[in-house]
Amino acid sequence: MQKDPLPFTSPLHNTGATRPTAVNVPSANVAASTPRATANNNSNNSPIGNGVYAPPPHSQSLPPAHPTPFTPTEPFSVSAFRRRSLCSIDQPGVVMTRLPQELEDTQHEFGSKLVVIMVGLPARGKSYLVKKLQRYLTWLQYDTKVFNVGTRRRIASKGDNKNGTSHSHAFFDPKNTAAKEIRDELALESLEELITWLKQGGRVGIHDATNSSRERRKLLLNRLEAEPNCRVLFIESICTDPVVLAHNLSMKLSSPDYKGMDEKQARDDFKKRLENYERAYQTLGEDDEEDGIQYCKLINVGKKVIAYNIQGYLAGQCIFYLMNFNLSPRCIWLTRHGESTDNLVGKIGGDAPLSGRGKKYGDCLSRFIQHQRQENERSRRVEAEAGMAISPLRERTVAVWTSMLTRTKETVEGFDPKEYDIKHIRFLNEIYAGICEGLSYSEIQNEYPEEFEARRVNKLFYRYPGMGGESYLDVIQRLNPLIIELERMTSDLLIVTHRVVLRILLGYLMDIDRSKMPEMDVHLHTLYCVEPKPHGTVVKRYRWDEELDWFVEEPADK
């Protein structure tokens, strides 16, 4: 029996959870072989953190029939090895790096390291982009952290301004030399904190600030040139849409800078601050390109995208993701299938049909979604007539996605394909349990006690043994294309899937910590409604009341 190592976090040594096997990763993006460790090997032959693998000190192999002597042109150099990067693909749980023995103690310094530097005027949606990007990369299992310069500035000033704001507009005047030195110093301090975090094992650090002048950006680049293992990606957010700008402005006035301040006074101060920034603002362009940087300009939340010199897998993933999301109001409904005949006897996996109760749930689900569809259309029409909509009102056909398995298909039989865009998608299939398919958990515990214990210890990394057995990480990778499609869509969407897949999707949409995601309670006959908003995500949960044969909203804190 086998299971995966912990490729980018602290390995579970002495748990008996590491054994040799070949990797079978059903990813739409990449498939790769991953080194394993055997249970009776010493620690030098174990997988170690951050997607890195160190060979045993005395590993032996048969020599080739006609060996060719190899003489290195220069002594082994740790710094030179760090700079060597022939392949930029580095997916957690999919790709691991094998290191020389000399570097075993510094394995956390390897793997993709990306510094994202934000650029743009205030109220242009930079923080919104940053939160979305951090959520996506964290869901893909890249340790990602945001370092906000404005937060550091407010902490440093201690909010001692009598007007209630940490700094008035005068602090941002480009002619205010003393204030400019302070702002540059704060930006560099944030960058130093970011670099330290990356060296301790982080993967993507995001420098969240305006960074609106070439002088400031050059200052940051000069510091990063001393870090050979870091790639740098600039992302500039440009917004010219008056409706979106007005919404961003109202959000900005609720920031800590203006806490407790009169609204008119806050608005006047922010407008003057913005004027100061505009006087010194220099957009990314040819002068920056001379530094050989890679950058992406997002105009009006991705309606237009300009990319230059994008290099590396991680940077490409960031750009591809940012190109696809939008601000259209929509509801994403998610639920497990109705009760199946296997649910009645506690079996996992398989392709069982629905029970009578499960069919009743599916019928109610179709009626409830139709009702909610009409309610949503009515409320959005009112919002558009009031001039408060951030995206144009359009006729939309609600999409319905299910897995390829019988129990999800039967759950949506009540949906008319003339009214709904119904698709059955293999990516949404339940995690495949390998040799444990069709067994109950008690049967797994009796027949495969080591597997049962290994799964209990770490469900996120555990891979079911046998041909095609999957781990949570495998399912995350195969769901990645659907996440991109989900962000691109402007219509309402219903997803009918399975327990593990639902946990992973909710983990992304609700930004749930990866250690808690595999333990989420996602009961049968429970419906989630997720509404992405510019200020965050609104989540509602509904329980099917069998007696009423209708859905009842549950309290948010339950």
Tab-separated table of all heavy atoms in Angstrom, residues 4-11 34 47-53 90-97 203 461 473:
chain	number	residue	atom	x	y	z
A	4	ASP	N	1.337	9.384	-0.821
A	4	ASP	CA	2.277	10.425	-1.215
A	4	ASP	C	3.030	11.009	-0.036
A	4	ASP	O	2.551	11.016	1.099
A	4	ASP	CB	1.531	11.566	-1.915
A	4	ASP	CG	1.413	11.284	-3.390
A	4	ASP	OD1	2.029	10.317	-3.834
A	4	ASP	OD2	0.703	12.032	-4.071
A	5	PRO	N	4.220	11.559	-0.328
A	5	PRO	CA	4.925	12.331	0.688
A	5	PRO	C	4.272	13.689	0.858
A	5	PRO	O	3.334	14.014	0.168
A	5	PRO	CB	6.328	12.481	0.073
A	5	PRO	CG	6.049	12.495	-1.399
A	5	PRO	CD	4.900	11.525	-1.598
A	6	LEU	N	4.786	14.448	1.792
A	6	LEU	CA	4.321	15.818	1.993
A	6	LEU	C	5.282	16.724	1.256
A	6	LEU	O	6.347	17.045	1.749
A	6	LEU	CB	4.296	16.163	3.486
A	6	LEU	CG	3.577	15.136	4.353
A	6	LEU	CD1	3.454	15.657	5.758
A	6	LEU	CD2	2.223	14.807	3.785
A	7	PRO	N	4.949	17.133	0.039
A	7	PRO	CA	5.947	17.748	-0.824
A	7	PRO	C	6.314	19.181	-0.525
A	7	PRO	O	7.304	19.646	-1.009
A	7	PRO	CB	5.315	17.632	-2.204
A	7	PRO	CG	3.868	17.610	-1.953
A	7	PRO	CD	3.691	16.928	-0.635
A	8	PHE	N	5.540	19.913	0.256
A	8	PHE	CA	5.940	21.304	0.441
A	8	PHE	C	5.651	21.808	1.835
A	8	PHE	O	5.671	22.986	2.098
A	8	PHE	CB	5.219	22.206	-0.570
A	8	PHE	CG	3.733	22.141	-0.462
A	8	PHE	CD1	3.035	23.041	0.310
A	8	PHE	CD2	3.043	21.157	-1.126
A	8	PHE	CE1	1.670	22.968	0.411
A	8	PHE	CE2	1.669	21.087	-1.021
A	8	PHE	CZ	0.992	21.992	-0.253
A	9	THR	N	5.403	20.913	2.760
A	9	THR	CA	5.207	21.319	4.140
A	9	THR	C	5.946	20.324	5.013
A	9	THR	O	6.604	19.415	4.507
A	9	THR	CB	3.706	21.380	4.495
A	9	THR	OG1	3.565	21.935	5.800
A	9	THR	CG2	3.076	20.001	4.482
A	10	SER	N	5.869	20.450	6.312
A	10	SER	CA	6.633	19.563	7.180
A	10	SER	C	6.207	18.123	6.990
A	10	SER	O	5.029	17.803	7.143
A	10	SER	CB	6.419	19.976	8.643
A	10	SER	OG	6.837	21.297	8.837
A	11	PRO	N	7.141	17.210	6.671
A	11	PRO	CA	6.768	15.819	6.457
A	11	PRO	C	6.373	15.145	7.760
A	11	PRO	O	6.862	15.495	8.830
A	11	PRO	CB	8.040	15.200	5.877
A	11	PRO	CG	9.147	16.075	6.345
A	11	PRO	CD	8.575	17.461	6.443
A	34	THR	N	6.865	11.284	-9.306
A	34	THR	CA	7.281	11.869	-8.054
A	34	THR	C	8.066	10.861	-7.243
A	34	THR	O	7.593	9.752	-7.040
A	34	THR	CB	6.057	12.309	-7.233
A	34	THR	OG1	5.282	13.174	-8.045
A	34	THR	CG2	6.480	13.028	-5.965
A	47	PRO	N	11.068	12.080	1.536
A	47	PRO	CA	10.698	13.317	0.863
A	47	PRO	C	10.725	14.447	1.860
A	47	PRO	O	10.323	14.277	3.002
A	47	PRO	CB	9.278	13.041	0.364
A	47	PRO	CG	8.780	11.978	1.262
A	47	PRO	CD	9.969	11.164	1.679
A	48	ILE	N	11.217	15.581	1.441
A	48	ILE	CA	11.305	16.695	2.358
A	48	ILE	C	10.536	17.870	1.811
A	48	ILE	O	10.082	17.865	0.686
A	48	ILE	CB	12.783	17.072	2.615
A	48	ILE	CG1	13.515	17.262	1.301
A	48	ILE	CG2	13.462	16.023	3.439
A	48	ILE	CD1	14.996	17.513	1.451
A	49	GLY	N	10.368	18.895	2.649
A	49	GLY	CA	9.408	19.941	2.351
A	49	GLY	C	9.663	20.699	1.072
A	49	GLY	O	10.733	20.656	0.482
A	50	ASN	N	8.601	21.446	0.665
A	50	ASN	CA	8.690	22.388	-0.446
A	50	ASN	C	8.925	21.722	-1.791
A	50	ASN	O	9.557	22.275	-2.664
A	50	ASN	CB	9.801	23.394	-0.183
A	50	ASN	CG	9.377	24.786	-0.570
A	50	ASN	OD1	8.192	25.027	-0.778
A	50	ASN	ND2	10.311	25.690	-0.667
A	51	GLY	N	8.415	20.515	-1.986
A	51	GLY	CA	8.531	19.885	-3.289
A	51	GLY	C	9.946	19.489	-3.637
A	51	GLY	O	10.369	19.531	-4.777
A	52	VAL	N	10.737	19.093	-2.623
A	52	VAL	CA	12.149	18.794	-2.839
A	52	VAL	C	12.437	17.382	-2.375
A	52	VAL	O	11.865	16.911	-1.409
A	52	VAL	CB	13.035	19.796	-2.052
A	52	VAL	CG1	14.491	19.452	-2.187
A	52	VAL	CG2	12.775	21.211	-2.545
A	53	TYR	N	13.355	16.689	-3.050
A	53	TYR	CA	13.706	15.327	-2.693
A	53	TYR	C	15.214	15.216	-2.604
A	53	TYR	O	15.935	15.587	-3.534
A	53	TYR	CB	13.178	14.361	-3.751
A	53	TYR	CG	13.473	12.904	-3.461
A	53	TYR	CD1	12.709	12.213	-2.535
A	53	TYR	CD2	14.500	12.239	-4.110
A	53	TYR	CE1	12.953	10.881	-2.265
A	53	TYR	CE2	14.763	10.908	-3.850
A	53	TYR	CZ	13.981	10.223	-2.924
A	53	TYR	OH	14.226	8.911	-2.678
A	90	ASP	N	6.362	23.750	-11.305
A	90	ASP	CA	6.617	23.337	-9.930
A	90	ASP	C	5.287	23.315	-9.196
A	90	ASP	O	4.952	24.229	-8.457
A	90	ASP	CB	7.607	24.289	-9.267
A	90	ASP	CG	8.062	23.770	-7.912
A	90	ASP	OD1	7.711	22.627	-7.578
A	90	ASP	OD2	8.761	24.507	-7.194
A	91	GLN	N	4.498	22.259	-9.423
A	91	GLN	CA	3.178	22.181	-8.820
A	91	GLN	C	3.216	21.350	-7.549
A	91	GLN	O	3.689	20.209	-7.563
A	91	GLN	CB	2.183	21.558	-9.795
A	91	GLN	CG	1.860	22.438	-10.985
A	91	GLN	CD	0.878	21.762	-11.911
A	91	GLN	OE1	1.243	20.858	-12.656
A	91	GLN	NE2	-0.357	22.184	-11.863
A	92	PRO	N	2.723	21.886	-6.439
A	92	PRO	CA	2.693	21.117	-5.196
A	92	PRO	C	1.940	19.800	-5.370
A	92	PRO	O	0.834	19.763	-5.888
A	92	PRO	CB	1.957	22.052	-4.224
A	92	PRO	CG	2.225	23.418	-4.760
A	92	PRO	CD	2.244	23.257	-6.248
A	93	GLY	N	2.566	18.720	-4.917
A	93	GLY	CA	1.943	17.420	-5.013
A	93	GLY	C	2.102	16.759	-6.354
A	93	GLY	O	1.693	15.612	-6.536
A	94	VAL	N	2.691	17.467	-7.326
A	94	VAL	CA	2.818	16.936	-8.686
A	94	VAL	C	4.278	16.858	-9.113
A	94	VAL	O	4.701	15.891	-9.730
A	94	VAL	CB	2.020	17.808	-9.686
A	94	VAL	CG1	2.221	17.334	-11.107
A	94	VAL	CG2	0.536	17.795	-9.325
A	95	VAL	N	5.048	17.887	-8.802
A	95	VAL	CA	6.447	17.954	-9.206
A	95	VAL	C	7.317	18.137	-7.971
A	95	VAL	O	6.992	18.932	-7.089
A	95	VAL	CB	6.690	19.133	-10.182
A	95	VAL	CG1	8.160	19.224	-10.561
A	95	VAL	CG2	5.832	18.970	-11.427
A	96	MET	N	8.387	17.391	-7.900
A	96	MET	CA	9.347	17.542	-6.813
A	96	MET	C	10.737	17.726	-7.404
A	96	MET	O	11.011	17.287	-8.517
A	96	MET	CB	9.326	16.314	-5.896
A	96	MET	CG	7.984	16.068	-5.233
A	96	MET	SD	7.991	14.603	-4.184
A	96	MET	CE	9.005	15.200	-2.826
A	97	THR	N	11.614	18.373	-6.667
A	97	THR	CA	12.980	18.621	-7.118
A	97	THR	C	13.943	17.741	-6.330
A	97	THR	O	13.878	17.702	-5.100
A	97	THR	CB	13.364	20.099	-6.910
A	97	THR	OG1	12.453	20.908	-7.651
A	97	THR	CG2	14.786	20.364	-7.397
A	203	ARG	N	6.246	30.704	-0.874
A	203	ARG	CA	6.370	30.504	-2.321
A	203	ARG	C	6.074	31.764	-3.128
A	203	ARG	O	6.771	32.074	-4.071
A	203	ARG	CB	5.414	29.387	-2.781
A	203	ARG	CG	5.604	28.079	-2.048
A	203	ARG	CD	6.974	27.489	-2.282
A	203	ARG	NE	7.160	27.037	-3.650
A	203	ARG	CZ	6.703	25.898	-4.139
A	203	ARG	NH1	5.993	25.079	-3.395
A	203	ARG	NH2	6.942	25.557	-5.391
A	461	PHE	N	-2.954	14.921	2.019
A	461	PHE	CA	-1.874	14.347	1.219
A	461	PHE	C	-2.052	12.854	0.947
A	461	PHE	O	-1.365	12.314	0.082
A	461	PHE	CB	-0.531	14.567	1.919
A	461	PHE	CG	-0.131	16.001	2.008
A	461	PHE	CD1	-0.412	16.749	3.140
A	461	PHE	CD2	0.511	16.624	0.961
A	461	PHE	CE1	-0.053	18.080	3.219
A	461	PHE	CE2	0.881	17.948	1.036
A	461	PHE	CZ	0.598	18.686	2.169
A	473	LEU	N	-4.889	16.437	-3.265
A	473	LEU	CA	-4.076	17.264	-4.153
A	473	LEU	C	-4.337	16.936	-5.612
A	473	LEU	O	-4.376	17.827	-6.463
A	473	LEU	CB	-2.594	17.075	-3.838
A	473	LEU	CG	-2.095	17.636	-2.506
A	473	LEU	CD1	-0.606	17.395	-2.362
A	473	LEU	CD2	-2.397	19.117	-2.376
